[in-house]
Amino acid sequence: MKKIRQPAEPYRIKSVEPISLLSRPERLKRIREANYNVFKLDAADIYIDLLTDSGTGAMSTSQWAALMLGDETYAGARSFRKFEATVREIFRKKHVVPCHQGRVAENLVFSTILKPGQFVPNNTHFDTTRGNCLHKGGVPVDLPCKEASSIEPLPFKGNMDTERLEAFIKEQGVEAIPMVIMTITNNSSGGQPVSMANILEVSEICHRHNIPFFFDCARFAENAYFIKRDEPGYANKPIREIVAEMFDACDGAMMSAKKDGLANIGGFVALNNDMLYEQLTELLILIEGFPTYGGLAGRDLEVLSVGLREVMDFDYLDYRIEQVRYFGEMIKQAGMPIVEPTGGHALFVDAGRFLPHLPPEQFPAQGLTVAFYTEGCIRAVEIGSLMFGEEDPKTGTFTPARQELVRMALPRRVYTNSHIDYIAEVAQRIADSKESIPGYQIVRQPKYLRHFTCDLAAVNTEEVLS
Ligand code: F0G
């Protein structure tokens, strides 16, 4: 294998959590018992878990120390005041509404702002954003830029298509659009970043039409790093200044702080509008808790206040994004096509191109996901026709997903480059005998979000890779 530059970790390890590699017969037994659905595996079954980067990161010594400062007062806790000041300073908004994770922020905002039948444009809605919008009777509309579907490694493929946004506003009318959301980075589109130019353009369009402009900013610092690295004029700007410029362009933000909050739990809404703030807090008290804790413990708020600052450290971000790039290079060398360029938090392997012998209705990306487990005790997640494909109940016609991908998300500060090398070795072994990977069929499924709980079986074969 060609040697690729490996970024060295900008931290040393002070506390370790043992993980173990089950034997191959044990892995086969466990995946069979889980009916080939990796969501049904236990943590103890897994050596390297790449299911998500959400809430799975490692805290720093400063964060562990901050835990002890937690003030658990119900109303007016010191820990909240610190959190509120931190969020105000970084995200530059007047009001801060804490909540326990991102989807609650979405629920609060949509419950307050959205009337049934109204449209919510987004560069690409994340699943829970889409789900919450639909649940409140709204219509989620994805307006990704044209480059998003290109296989060329272009920068800022997470952008919104501003021409389509203008056209959409003209077509539906301002009254039908209570807000526009920009997801940074664009998780459902390969974790690709959004450029400052695009943020400013969308902001200008929204403000010209008097439409509130919000960020879904789970990975705001990773997005700012890409702007610094790839957008002309930003190379010499500190990350903090880039973040400030980004957030000055929006009216509010919803954040799942389980990502770039470097915490295991947490979220918030930050906004300027006084009336909206009043409405949000009324609902908050009903569904989450008093406005000075919002479903979190005081110690969680302390951890977040430290994490939201730490995440903007350039050395940390440089290592993080370089690690994902290194991971991508290693997997490509092993012979697997990936979505390029690599994004901020995950690698997306193109199983459709890797396993041409499997048609979409046999879920090639699930085949590859199962292979990563049986071959290496690694958990990834299918993002393809198992998650997004649809069968017409009347005609039985199958509509596949746009792409058959396997997402391998990297938890923050958790796995070293040796783990990445191990995953690449496993990928190589899989690639060497990829023709033997079977397709899968669903044998039992629930009505909604089937990928989480459905049971699967291999097609035309008694056993998987045995
Ligand atoms: N918005 C984005 C862009 C997300 O990626 C997520 C979660 C949420 C909102 C919801 O936040 O989980 O705190 O309620 N993404 C995770 C993932 C689950 O694996 O990509 P939450």
Side-chain angles (χ1 to χ4, degrees):
M1 272 193 178
K2 196 173 88 203
K3 186 74 191 150
I4 300 162
R5 185 177 95 82
Q6 266 179 295
E9 287 78 10
Y11 46 81
R12 53 185 177 178
I13 295 164
K14 195 164 208 159
S15 178
V16 296
E17 182 181 6
I19 47 176
S20 55
L21 184 59
L22 298 187
S23 69
R24 191 181 169 80
E26 281 173 314
R27 300 196 298 260
L28 289 171
K29 180 168 173 288
R30 284 304 296 127
I31 194 72
R32 209 180 301 129
E33 285 166 356
N35 291 310
Y36 303 101
N37 185 340
V38 293
F39 281 99
K40 295 187 182 182
L41 293 170
D42 281 345
D45 303 329
I46 294 156
Y47 179 51
I48 295 181
D49 200 348
L50 306 178
L51 188 67
T52 181
D53 64 320
S54 181
T56 51
M59 295 206 295
S60 66
T61 47
S62 307
Q63 286 179 297
W64 282 109
L67 269 181
M68 282 305 288
L69 299 174
D71 172 4
E72 307 302 342
T73 304
Y74 191 96
R78 274 191 308 277
S79 300
F80 175 71
R81 293 297 167 219
K82 196 186 289 177
F83 174 73
E84 182 183 45
T86 306
V87 174
R88 277 182 180 153
E89 185 190 315
I90 298 171
F91 301 93
R92 302 162 78 85
K93 300 288 166 267
K94 189 168 156 195
H95 302 295
V96 180
V97 182
C99 58
H100 86 272
Q101 63 181 90
R103 63 201 71 184
V104 183
E106 294 156 11
N107 183 354
L108 288 166
V109 169
F110 289 142
S111 299
T112 313
I113 241 180
L114 189 63
K115 291 197 201 75
Q118 287 186 320
F119 299 94
V120 181
N122 198 323
N123 44 350
T124 316
H125 285 271
F126 178 68
D127 321 13
T128 57
T129 328
R130 178 185 309 282
N132 270 302
C133 178
L134 287 167
H135 189 249
K136 303 291 170 247
V139 184
V141 180
D142 289 343
L143 300 175
C145 65
K146 291 180 189 72
E147 295 78 14
S149 48
S150 161
I151 60 164
E152 293 300 314
L154 304 165
F156 302 113
K157 279 177 163 182
N159 282 353
M160 187 181 287
D161 186 330
T162 49
E163 272 176 36
R164 280 176 69 199
L165 177 64
E166 284 271 27
F168 189 79
I169 297 172
K170 203 176 261 171
E171 201 178 289
Q172 299 299 337
V174 172
E175 299 302 316
I177 305 171
M179 69 189 304
V180 170
I181 303 176
M182 184 75 106
T183 305
I184 50 174
T185 55
N186 193 340
N187 186 6
S188 303
S189 190
Q192 299 292 321
V194 175
S195 71
M196 187 73 84
N198 192 246
I199 289 173
L200 296 176
E201 211 182 321
V202 172
S203 170
E204 189 278 320
I205 295 171
C206 289
H207 294 134
R208 180 155 34 84
H209 293 285
N210 255 325
I211 300 173
F213 177 39
F214 271 62
F215 285 156
D216 175 356
C217 64
R219 301 174 181 88
F220 74 97
E222 291 174 6
N223 200 93
Y225 174 89
F226 282 107
I227 290 175
K228 184 176 170 73
R229 195 188 71 181
D230 296 337
E231 193 161 352
Y234 289 93
N236 297 322
K237 275 211 170 146
I239 295 290
R240 285 193 71 111
E241 279 179 33
I242 297 174
V243 169
E245 191 176 337
M246 284 160 61
F247 283 85
D248 279 344
C250 72
D251 304 297
M254 302 173 275
M255 178 165 184
S256 165
K258 298 173 73 172
K259 286 83 167 171
D260 274 355
L262 298 179
N264 302 119
I265 198 77
F268 62 82
V269 182
L271 74 169
N272 282 330
N273 186 305
D274 298 334
M275 209 169 77
L276 191 56
Y277 170 70
E278 291 300 325
Q279 291 169 328
L280 286 180
T281 48
E282 268 175 39
L283 183 58
L284 185 80
I285 294 173
L286 210 57
I287 66 173
E288 277 282 87
F290 196 72
T292 58
Y293 72 87
L296 293 165
R299 56 180 172 269
D300 300 324
L301 293 163
E302 292 284 345
V303 160
L304 284 167
S305 298
V306 178
L308 287 167
R309 288 184 202 283
E310 270 181 8
V311 78
M312 292 187 291
D313 177 71
F314 179 79
D315 291 341
Y316 157 74
L317 283 171
D318 190 43
Y319 166 72
R320 164 106 181 128
I321 306 298
E322 279 292 297
Q323 190 184 43
V324 178
R325 192 191 57 78
Y326 172 69
F327 187 15
E329 289 299 322
M330 295 299 283
I331 294 294
K332 268 201 304 186
Q333 272 201 18
M336 292 187 183
I338 61 166
V339 173
E340 292 188 88
T342 46
H345 67 291
L347 191 69
F348 293 78
V349 181
D350 191 336
R353 278 200 282 155
F354 180 62
L355 301 173
H357 67 286
L358 298 178
E361 54 271 30
Q362 289 188 19
F363 311 126
Q366 185 62 16
L368 183 55
T369 302
V370 173
F372 266 112
Y373 182 72
T374 53
E375 204 48 59
C377 213
I378 297 161
R379 176 157 68 173
V381 65
E382 194 263 11
I383 302 202
S385 291
L386 181 61
M387 195 179 265
F388 295 121
E390 284 169 15
E391 287 96 32
D392 187 317
K394 289 201 194 93
T395 62
T397 316
F398 174 80
T399 311
R402 211 161 47 89
Q403 280 178 297
E404 303 298 332
L405 303 176
V406 173
R407 185 180 88 163
M408 307 182 96
L410 278 180
R412 292 170 180 77
R413 307 189 288 207
V414 170
Y415 295 116
T416 66
N417 292 327
S418 308
H419 290 116
I420 303 281
D421 292 344
Y422 168 79
I423 301 164
E425 276 169 36
V426 171
Q428 182 70 64
R429 286 207 299 273
I430 293 172
D432 290 344
S433 60
K434 63 178 187 169
E435 294 75 19
S436 66
I437 294 177
Y440 283 84
Q441 60 194 1
I442 299 173
V443 293
R444 192 196 61 80
Q445 64 175 312
K447 208 164 162 196
Y448 300 109
L449 297 171
R450 67 181 181 193
H451 56 284
F452 288 125
T453 54
C454 69
D455 292 335
L456 297 144
V459 176
N460 298 332
T461 168
E462 270 299 290
E463 197 43 271
V464 178
L465 292 175
S466 56

